[in-house]
Amino acid sequence: MALLPILEFPDARLRTVAEAVEAGEIGTPGFQTLIDDMFETMYDAPGIGLAASQVDVHKRFMVIDVSEDREQPYVFINPEISARDGEQVYQEGCLSVPGIFADVTRADRITVEYLDREGVKQVLDADGLLAVCIQHEMDHLLGKLFVDYLSPLKREMVRKKLAKQRRMAAA
């Protein structure tokens, strides 16, 4: 397994809309290795979700594990939210926007249909943190970031703060 580089805001590649994963791709050794590498990258970061778009692979899949002990890994291939209910405000962060957190309003409960890592169709009812994480990662697959929910002024402040962090790290 290998750690993958994570694209960071404002990298334009994060705005790419992901294409569907073809059924024939799912069982290939290369695709399965990519899934394993994404989990390793996510856990190392550390994070609880990682969309393929964040590692410059513009295919509709993501990995998620919101458990404390890293024992509930999910792979969502070609996910679609079929139902949303309620509303919650959650303070979100993102591996592509390091060190920045902001309140985002999301559906409290969702139903998501997807293929698992073996290509088997699944339906999951999720709430709380898992529901938020699924919605956050699905935004990545659509070329959207959580900072897009912020006002233009706050988004520009985030851009400047990240640029300053990069300059400081390079010095």
Side-chain angles (χ1 to χ4, degrees), residues 103-106 139 144-151 155:
D103 289 342
V104 178
T105 302
R106 304 264 189 196
D139 274 356
K144 190 171 184 178
L145 300 171
F146 88 98
V147 295
D148 296 341
Y149 293 93
L150 305 177
S151 70
R155 198 167 36 253

Side-chain angles (χ1 to χ4, degrees), residues 25-37 77 117-119:
E25 292 177 76
I26 295 172
T28 65
F31 188 76
Q32 293 296 316
T33 297
L34 178 57
I35 289 170
D36 292 337
D37 291 348
I77 300 170
R117 81 178 293 160
E118 285 79 36

Side-chain angles (χ1 to χ4, degrees), residues 12-19 49-54 57-64 76 78-81 84 90 92-94 96-97 102-107 110 112 130-150 155:
R13 293 172 290 179
L14 289 167
R15 300 305 185 172
T16 305
V17 176
E19 297 177 5
L50 185 66
S53 300
Q54 292 177 271
V57 176
H58 302 286
K59 293 289 190 168
R60 284 189 53 82
F61 73 99
M62 57 200 191
V63 299
I64 291 176
F76 294 88
N78 298 332
E80 296 292 337
I81 295 176
R84 298 173 193 266
Y90 219 93
E92 295 186 22
C94 181
S96 291
V97 190
D103 289 342
V104 178
T105 302
R106 304 264 189 196
I110 62 169
V112 61
L130 180 58
V132 168
C133 190
I134 291 168
Q135 292 169 86
H136 176 106
E137 299 307 330
M138 285 185 69
D139 274 356
H140 279 296
L141 301 177
L142 298 171
K144 190 171 184 178
L145 300 171
F146 88 98
V147 295
D148 296 341
Y149 293 93
L150 305 177
R155 198 167 36 253

